[in-house]
Amino acid sequence: MGGLGYSGWWGSMGGPKHRGVVTYQLSPYEMKTNAHLISKGTHNFFRRTSSQLAYILPGVFLFWAVTHFGKKRHEWLNSKAGHAAQHGS
């Protein structure tokens, strides 16, 4: 059921070479991954978050409302008044 044998590690499986593919690489010593993180990062965070609030808040509010209703209903059903209303006593 297996293959014909080991065909090589991923990326060098013995197939035809790709032509016309150019790759570029930047040395890790040349990258500045945290450059301007505090000065520009916080501004970008608040700008991007505030632009998405109209999409996020309705879902958050709906989740909160359903959870709040469920907890209150659960508390009421497990109270003396809830038992009396459910079982007709």
Side-chain angles (χ1 to χ4, degrees):
M1 294 228 181
L4 298 174
Y6 180 72
S7 61
W9 188 245
W10 185 258
S12 61
M13 298 214 181
K17 298 290 182 192
H18 289 279
R19 302 178 80 189
V21 176
V22 179
T23 59
Y24 297 97
Q25 191 172 9
L26 185 65
S27 168
Y29 298 108
E30 295 179 32
M31 287 191 261
K32 295 180 181 176
T33 56
N34 293 327
H36 307 293
L37 179 66
I38 302 299
S39 63
K40 293 183 181 176
T42 53
H43 172 69
N44 281 337
F45 171 77
F46 286 114
R47 181 180 56 84
R48 291 177 179 174
T49 304
S50 64
S51 69
Q52 297 296 317
L53 284 178
Y55 301 104
I56 296 171
L57 286 181
V60 170
F61 177 73
L62 181 66
F63 176 77
W64 174 82
V66 169
T67 304
H68 183 71
F69 171 77
K71 285 183 178 181
K72 291 295 181 186
R73 177 86 173 148
H74 179 73
E75 288 175 9
W76 183 78
L77 286 174
N78 288 325
S79 68
K80 190 180 282 189
H83 283 287
Q86 288 291 320
H87 300 295
S89 287

